[in-house]
Amino acid sequence: MDSSETKTYYQNVVVMRHGDRIDHFDLTWVKTAETPWDPPLINEGLARAFHTGRTFRNLLPFPIHRVFVSPFLRCVQTASEVVTALCAVDYDPDSDSQSSIAVGSIDPSKVKVSIEYGLCETLRREAISPDVVPKDGIFRFDVPQLEAMLPSGTLDRTFEPVYKELPQWEETVMGGRSRYKQIIKALADQYPSENLLSLTHAEGVATSVSEFLEDTAVAEVDYCAYSELRRPISWKNESFTAGNFEVLTKSGQNGITYFAKEQLR
């Protein structure tokens, strides 16, 4: 196509919550945990994540090209399951396999994965109990160790994170929502010709609905719930113009419940 011609299409962005975390099911876990602020998934959470990845592969009308992940362990574990399902070779859509353990091999060229600090949990006491916060207020992640948990060959080592570090502890509610909105748009702008999956936390998924669907309040975001967004992209003369995001997910779909704010008055 001539560079002076205009090419238009939709860019799709999926924003997903992690799977079931252990501290919500085993209340004694935090007592002996080395990092009680960073719980892993339970087996049911791993299975739910893998099933969601299969759902993406079976039902989404578009391929996912890139996955961006919060550095919290539960999100990285969720990403590993989802990406394995997306990249599985000899894929059987009717299989009843419940986790990535059943996958013999993957094609890592299908999806590229990167850790992005901007997708992290909101660092405030409503999201993380002050009882488990590091004494110095600094949340430390072993990023190479987390990257090693991702399916072999899927890590994009060329990716430049939007956020180079975590926000400060006691982040405000509005500060967290502003960050999530900004990171969703920034990642989409960085890869305008690709469809993205951002793997984050409940507040991040809620923000992906409330910030792009006017006068909306989100009431519930289940484990592995996800929103679907899209926006029009126009390319001309090697530059692009992006339209506004449209929220495709209806209330009650994909594990998300929301209301028009006027219903709450």
Side-chain angles (χ1 to χ4, degrees), residues 209-224:
V209 174
S210 63
E211 290 294 326
F212 297 107
L213 189 58
E214 191 173 356
D215 295 325
T216 298
V218 177
E220 186 174 6
V221 177
D222 295 337
Y223 288 123
C224 289

Side-chain angles (χ1 to χ4, degrees), residues 2-264:
D2 190 298
S3 62
S4 63
E5 295 180 17
T6 300
K7 178 184 178 183
T8 60
Y9 57 90
Y10 280 110
Q11 180 185 33
N12 300 280
V13 175
V14 177
V15 185
M16 175 182 171
R17 186 189 181 192
H18 57 77
D20 315 45
R21 49 189 283 181
I22 192 170
D23 58 331
H24 285 185
F25 296 88
D26 179 359
L27 300 182
T28 66
W29 176 83
V30 297
K31 295 180 180 179
T32 57
E34 184 176 344
T35 53
W37 48 268
D38 193 20
L41 300 184
I42 58 174
N43 288 336
E44 289 81 358
L46 294 168
R48 192 193 302 269
F50 184 72
H51 175 75
T52 305
R54 289 171 56 85
T55 298
F56 290 160
R57 186 161 177 171
N58 287 343
L59 300 181
L60 289 182
F62 53 84
I64 290 174
H65 303 111
R66 287 187 179 271
V67 178
F68 300 100
V69 193
S70 159
F72 281 79
L73 177 58
R74 56 190 179 275
C75 290
V76 175
Q77 289 179 317
T78 300
S80 181
E81 294 294 316
V82 170
V83 171
T84 298
L86 291 173
C87 296
V89 176
D90 299 326
Y91 175 72
D92 179 2
D94 299 318
S95 170
D96 60 358
S97 60
Q98 296 299 308
S99 77
S100 61
I101 296 174
V103 175
S105 60
I106 67 167
D107 177 359
S109 68
K110 288 182 175 295
V111 178
K112 290 304 174 187
V113 191
S114 307
I115 291 176
E116 170 55 59
Y117 279 4
L119 292 169
C120 77
E121 180 68 278
T122 49
L123 300 187
R124 55 191 179 90
R125 58 188 63 239
E126 291 83 1
I128 303 175
S129 170
D131 295 337
V132 301
V133 172
K135 288 182 171 54
D136 60 5
I138 299 175
F139 297 81
R140 295 176 174 84
F141 296 96
D142 186 337
V143 174
Q145 185 179 60
L146 294 171
E147 291 175 338
M149 297 179 186
L150 299 170
S152 178
T154 62
L155 177 67
D156 182 2
R157 299 186 182 279
T158 68
F159 173 67
E160 289 291 334
V162 177
Y163 282 74
K164 310 299 184 185
E165 57 186 22
L166 296 176
Q168 297 293 312
W169 171 242
E170 297 287 18
E171 182 179 27
T172 66
V173 173
M174 294 310 297
R177 291 174 182 171
S178 176
R179 167 169 60 83
Y180 286 132
K181 181 180 182 180
Q182 192 270 338
I183 193 64
I184 289 169
K185 293 180 69 175
L187 291 172
D189 287 344
Q190 197 165 337
Y191 298 97
S193 62
E194 301 182 50
N195 299 318
L196 313 180
L197 168 62
S198 288
L199 223 159
T200 182
H201 304 264
E203 185 69 21
V205 178
T207 298
S208 73
V209 174
S210 63
E211 290 294 326
F212 297 107
L213 189 58
E214 191 173 356
D215 295 325
T216 298
V218 177
E220 186 174 6
V221 177
D222 295 337
Y223 288 123
C224 289
Y226 60 93
S227 64
E228 296 178 56
L229 313 177
R230 73 175 184 181
R231 64 177 184 171
I233 300 287
S234 297
W235 277 95
K236 186 175 182 179
N237 296 327
E238 300 182 356
S239 64
F240 76 93
T241 302
N244 294 327
F245 275 113
E246 172 189 7
V247 178
L248 301 181
T249 303
K250 305 301 183 184
S251 181
Q253 287 184 331
N254 308 339
I256 303 174
T257 303
Y258 61 85
F259 304 93
K261 286 184 177 179
E262 63 183 21
Q263 293 179 251
L264 304 177

